[in-house]
């Protein structure tokens, strides 16, 4: 008989849960080993590992979805694989081949199949691939050894409320420098975000919005998600900047808005003092999915978009289209969904 879980799928938030097996592969003497699934969720590494001192680490986030027919599928894992390669190049870590990355994700989902939430609960299986420097190094230099690992856990909404709007406040702090590591998904970016995030949450906001580090006039990120706005004449607009994370969700929404919903789309500057150009706004990301932005606080004033309590019609349509594809109810563009056999 299969393992029985007592999980209330519909009320899951975004909290760690140990699942049965995780994938671990080690890079040593210039190459990756074959990798294997292990039960232990503890890693044992040298005290002189670069990840501990110099933040030589990166990670990814992607999800597995259960379809109505009971199948399991991953959303665009190749995009996460490529972005992890970009992150590795930026901080001098060895890249993982695309096939190895996807195979590791598939192995982890299969090995933890009982944790893939049932269709219709709104919950998904979140996969967390990560890669970091280990071994004995004390000077500031790339590590001699690396670990690539993937674990998974069932999750619900990242921002409280799911498809109900939440408010954000603009941070005075920066998450990235103009020519820094903002476009890479490296650990250090997130260490720097902990304090601004906590200050925002303490003041009752879901998270903070970061402005561009050079001029502090343009929106960059919404916490750990990208920003989009729907202009009053129905265009899908999202910020363009070399220091924001290229969100897989944002890239997908740009395509869906244009090709499926027939909207005009623009990647361009979004000025914080021009928020009145938008009828609706939202945060998008793997964890955030699409979270409607009720209002943004800037210089002591809350700018409300569509409503603080109701999701706007275009945001709702985008949400239905994106999640419809992810859960297999709507046909996906070629190559987007990868079935876990
Ligand atoms: N921006 C930041 C800083 C993030 O951490 C994330 C999460 O991955 C995103 C945006 C959204 O990216 P994606 O849609 O690829 O999950
Ligand atoms: C994701 O959406 O996968 C993220 O990485 C957000 C997060 C840091 C929880």
């Amino acid at each position: 008989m299969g393992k029985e879980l007592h999980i209330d799928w519909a009320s899951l938030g975004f909290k760690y849960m140990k699942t049965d097996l995780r994938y671990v592969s080690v890079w040593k003497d210039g190459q990756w080993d074959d990798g294997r699934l292990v039960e232990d969720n503890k890693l044992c590494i040298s005290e002189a590992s670069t990840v501990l001192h110099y933040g030589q680490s990166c990670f990814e986030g992607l999800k597995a979805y259960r379809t109505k027919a009971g199948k399991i599928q991953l959303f665009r894992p190749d995009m996460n694989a490529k972005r992890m390669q970009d992150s590795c190049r930026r901080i001098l870590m060895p890249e993982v081949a695309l096939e190895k990355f996807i195979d590791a994700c598939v192995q982890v989902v299969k090995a933890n199949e009982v944790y893939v939430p049932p269709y219709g609960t709104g919950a998904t299986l979140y996969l967390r691939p990560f890669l970091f420097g280990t071994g004995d190094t004390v000077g500031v230099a790339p590590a001699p050894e690396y670990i690539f690992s993937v674990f998974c856990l069932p999750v619900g909404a990242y921002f409280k409320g799911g498809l109900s709007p939440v408010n954000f406040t603009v941070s005075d702090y920066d998450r990235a420098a103009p020519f820094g590591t903002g476009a890479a998904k490296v650990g250090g970016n997130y260490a720097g975000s902990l304090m601004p995030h906590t200050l925002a949450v303490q003041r009752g906001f879901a998270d903070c919005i970061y402005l561009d580090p050079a001029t502090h006039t343009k929106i960059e990120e919404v916490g750990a998600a990208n920003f989009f706005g729907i202009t009053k004449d129905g265009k899908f607009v999202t910020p363009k900047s070399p220091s924001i994370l290229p969100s897989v969700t944002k890239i997908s929404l740009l395509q869906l808005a244009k090709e499926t919903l027939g909207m005009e789309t623009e990647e361009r500057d979004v000025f914080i003092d021009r928020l009145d150009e938008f009828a609706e706004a939202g945060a998008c990301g793997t964890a955030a999915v699409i979270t409607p932005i009720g209002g943004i606080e800037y210089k002591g004033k809350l700018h409300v978009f569509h409503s603080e309590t109701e999701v706007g019609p275009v945001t709702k349509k985008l949400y239905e289209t994106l999640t419809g594809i992810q859960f297999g109810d709507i046909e996906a563009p070629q190559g987007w969904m990868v079935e876990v056999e």
Side-chain angles (χ1 to χ4, degrees), residues 19 21-26 32-38 60 62 64 74 77-78 81 84 96-112 125-131 147-152 338 340:
T19 51
L21 291 160
R22 64 230 75 259
Y23 173 94
V24 179
S25 179
V26 174
W32 289 107
D33 69 11
D34 286 341
R36 63 201 176 99
L37 293 172
V38 298
E60 276 301 324
L62 67 159
L74 296 170
D78 55 319
M84 182 170 255
V96 169
L98 195 119
E99 300 72 29
K100 184 179 175 78
F101 180 99
I102 296 176
D103 173 59
C105 292
V106 167
Q107 282 194 45
V108 168
V109 175
K110 274 195 202 166
N112 295 288
L125 189 78
Y126 182 75
L127 278 88
R128 173 52 65 85
F130 60 114
L131 196 160
I147 291 176
F148 166 56
S149 177
V150 183
F151 66 83
C152 69
V338 171
V340 176

Side-chain angles (χ1 to χ4, degrees), residues 83 175 185 190 221 223-226 245 247-249 284-286:
R83 190 170 64 189
R175 73 173 275 284
K185 204 161 167 60
Y190 296 82
E221 300 262 16
N226 276 184
L245 191 79
S247 153
V248 174
T249 317
C284 64
T286 301

Side-chain angles (χ1 to χ4, degrees), residues 3-254:
K3 178 169 168 169
E4 281 225 23
L5 295 175
H6 300 282
I7 297 174
D8 182 2
W9 304 105
S11 57
L12 282 173
F14 199 83
K15 286 205 186 84
Y16 180 74
M17 177 190 298
K18 183 180 179 233
T19 51
D20 296 344
L21 291 160
R22 64 230 75 259
Y23 173 94
V24 179
S25 179
V26 174
W27 189 91
K28 217 174 159 172
D29 303 325
Q31 59 183 6
W32 289 107
D33 69 11
D34 286 341
R36 63 201 176 99
L37 293 172
V38 298
E39 278 182 19
D40 196 354
N41 68 340
K42 307 279 187 303
L43 291 157
C44 184
I45 57 170
S46 164
E47 63 188 357
S49 295
T50 57
V51 62
L52 299 176
H53 304 266
Y54 309 129
Q56 201 188 15
S57 74
C58 69
F59 70 96
E60 276 301 324
L62 67 159
K63 284 174 171 173
Y65 304 79
R66 176 92 63 183
T67 68
K68 206 174 205 164
K71 290 190 175 152
I72 303 171
Q73 47 185 19
L74 296 170
F75 181 69
R76 311 191 77 176
D78 55 319
M79 300 279 280
N80 297 91
K82 285 184 200 138
R83 190 170 64 189
M84 182 170 255
Q85 292 178 341
D86 294 342
S87 298
C88 287
R89 276 197 295 279
R90 180 63 181 81
I91 57 171
L92 296 184
M93 302 199 291
E95 292 171 34
V96 169
L98 195 119
E99 300 72 29
K100 184 179 175 78
F101 180 99
I102 296 176
D103 173 59
C105 292
V106 167
Q107 282 194 45
V108 168
V109 175
K110 274 195 202 166
N112 295 288
E113 196 192 328
V114 285
Y115 294 93
V116 184
Y119 173 85
T121 57
T124 51
L125 189 78
Y126 182 75
L127 278 88
R128 173 52 65 85
F130 60 114
L131 196 160
F132 57 93
T134 60
D136 301 331
T137 316
V138 77
V140 181
E145 293 169 21
Y146 294 85
I147 291 176
F148 166 56
S149 177
V150 183
F151 66 83
C152 69
L153 59 149
V155 297
Y158 181 69
F159 288 118
K160 214 170 103 225
L163 199 55
S164 306
V166 289
N167 292 341
F168 295 86
T169 183
V170 174
S171 179
D172 293 331
Y173 293 96
D174 295 326
R175 73 173 275 284
F179 297 97
T181 55
K185 204 161 167 60
V186 297
N189 293 344
Y190 296 82
S193 76
L194 294 176
M195 202 247 278
H197 167 81
T198 303
L199 292 173
V201 170
Q202 278 168 355
R203 295 186 51 243
F205 294 95
D207 206 335
C208 60
I209 291 198
Y210 296 100
L211 300 180
D212 71 291
T215 70
H216 280 201
T217 58
K218 297 173 268 183
I219 292 186
E220 292 239 308
E221 300 262 16
V222 190
N226 276 184
F227 175 90
F228 70 86
I230 309 299
T231 59
K232 289 180 175 158
D233 59 355
K235 288 188 191 124
F236 178 96
V237 176
T238 187
K240 188 175 175 67
S241 155
S243 49
I244 68 176
L245 191 79
S247 153
V248 174
T249 317
K250 185 268 301 289
I251 293 164
S252 305
L253 286 178
L254 274 166

